[in-house]
Short mmCIF file of all heavy atoms in Angstrom, two decimals:
data_model
loop_
_atom_site.label_atom_id
_atom_site.label_comp_id
_atom_site.label_asym_id
_atom_site.label_seq_id
_atom_site.Cartn_x
_atom_site.Cartn_y
_atom_site.Cartn_z
N ILE F 87 32.61 38.29 -65.88
CA ILE F 87 32.10 37.61 -67.01
C ILE F 87 33.17 36.62 -67.52
O ILE F 87 34.27 37.04 -67.98
CB ILE F 87 31.71 38.59 -68.16
CG1 ILE F 87 30.73 39.62 -67.61
CG2 ILE F 87 31.17 37.79 -69.34
CD1 ILE F 87 30.32 40.70 -68.60
N THR F 88 32.86 35.32 -67.46
CA THR F 88 33.95 34.35 -67.82
C THR F 88 33.25 33.02 -68.18
O THR F 88 32.12 32.78 -67.93
CB THR F 88 34.86 34.13 -66.61
OG1 THR F 88 35.81 33.15 -66.96
CG2 THR F 88 34.12 33.57 -65.40
N ASN F 89 34.01 32.25 -68.98
CA ASN F 89 33.60 30.86 -69.20
C ASN F 89 34.74 29.93 -68.81
O ASN F 89 34.70 28.72 -69.19
CB ASN F 89 33.22 30.69 -70.70
CG ASN F 89 34.43 30.82 -71.63
OD1 ASN F 89 35.55 31.23 -71.21
ND2 ASN F 89 34.23 30.43 -72.88
N ASP F 90 35.68 30.43 -68.03
CA ASP F 90 36.75 29.58 -67.50
C ASP F 90 36.20 28.73 -66.39
O ASP F 90 35.62 29.26 -65.36
CB ASP F 90 37.88 30.48 -67.00
CG ASP F 90 39.06 29.64 -66.48
OD1 ASP F 90 39.68 28.88 -67.23
OD2 ASP F 90 39.36 29.74 -65.27
N GLY F 91 36.38 27.41 -66.49
CA GLY F 91 35.77 26.53 -65.49
C GLY F 91 36.22 26.75 -64.14
O GLY F 91 35.43 26.80 -63.16
N ALA F 92 37.58 26.97 -63.95
CA ALA F 92 38.14 27.15 -62.60
C ALA F 92 37.61 28.51 -61.96
O ALA F 92 37.32 28.50 -60.79
CB ALA F 92 39.64 27.17 -62.62
N THR F 93 37.48 29.48 -62.77
CA THR F 93 36.98 30.75 -62.27
C THR F 93 35.52 30.73 -61.81
O THR F 93 35.12 31.10 -60.83
CB THR F 93 37.14 31.94 -63.36
OG1 THR F 93 38.53 31.95 -63.73
CG2 THR F 93 36.76 33.24 -62.74
N VAL F 94 34.71 30.00 -62.70
CA VAL F 94 33.33 29.88 -62.31
C VAL F 94 33.12 29.06 -61.05
O VAL F 94 32.38 29.44 -60.14
CB VAL F 94 32.52 29.14 -63.51
CG1 VAL F 94 31.14 28.85 -63.08
CG2 VAL F 94 32.58 30.05 -64.75
N MET F 95 33.92 27.92 -60.92
CA MET F 95 33.75 27.10 -59.72
C MET F 95 34.18 27.92 -58.48
O MET F 95 33.58 27.74 -57.41
CB MET F 95 34.64 25.84 -59.91
CG MET F 95 34.17 24.94 -60.97
SD MET F 95 32.59 24.22 -60.69
CE MET F 95 33.05 23.00 -59.44
N LYS F 96 35.24 28.74 -58.62
CA LYS F 96 35.68 29.48 -57.41
C LYS F 96 34.70 30.54 -57.05
O LYS F 96 34.49 30.82 -55.87
CB LYS F 96 37.07 30.10 -57.77
CG LYS F 96 37.69 30.84 -56.64
CD LYS F 96 39.10 31.31 -56.98
CE LYS F 96 39.14 32.15 -58.20
NZ LYS F 96 40.48 32.71 -58.47
N LYS F 97 34.14 31.19 -58.09
CA LYS F 97 33.20 32.29 -57.76
C LYS F 97 31.82 31.82 -57.21
O LYS F 97 31.12 32.56 -56.57
CB LYS F 97 32.92 33.11 -59.05
CG LYS F 97 34.16 33.84 -59.55
CD LYS F 97 34.49 35.05 -58.65
CE LYS F 97 35.65 35.87 -59.22
NZ LYS F 97 36.02 37.03 -58.38
N LEU F 98 31.50 30.52 -57.51
CA LEU F 98 30.18 30.02 -57.10
C LEU F 98 30.11 29.92 -55.56
O LEU F 98 29.02 29.91 -55.01
CB LEU F 98 29.92 28.64 -57.70
CG LEU F 98 29.60 28.59 -59.16
CD1 LEU F 98 29.31 27.16 -59.65
CD2 LEU F 98 28.27 29.44 -59.43
N GLN F 99 31.21 29.76 -54.86
CA GLN F 99 31.31 29.63 -53.41
C GLN F 99 30.43 28.46 -52.95
O GLN F 99 29.46 28.60 -52.19
CB GLN F 99 30.88 30.95 -52.72
CG GLN F 99 31.80 32.10 -53.03
CD GLN F 99 31.49 33.34 -52.22
OE1 GLN F 99 30.43 33.34 -51.58
NE2 GLN F 99 32.23 34.35 -52.33
N VAL F 100 30.75 27.29 -53.47
CA VAL F 100 30.00 26.08 -53.07
C VAL F 100 30.24 25.71 -51.65
O VAL F 100 31.38 25.79 -51.19
CB VAL F 100 30.38 24.91 -54.02
CG1 VAL F 100 29.67 23.65 -53.65
CG2 VAL F 100 30.17 25.22 -55.51
N ILE F 101 29.14 25.42 -50.93
CA ILE F 101 29.29 25.05 -49.49
C ILE F 101 28.97 23.60 -49.26
O ILE F 101 29.23 23.16 -48.11
CB ILE F 101 28.37 25.99 -48.63
CG1 ILE F 101 26.89 25.77 -48.99
CG2 ILE F 101 28.75 27.47 -48.77
CD1 ILE F 101 25.93 26.48 -48.08
#
Side-chain angles (χ1 to χ4, degrees):
I87 302 175
T88 181
N89 67 350
D90 180 62
T93 305
V94 173
M95 295 294 287
K96 181 172 62 176
K97 294 288 185 180
L98 286 179
Q99 296 183 354
V100 178
I101 61 173

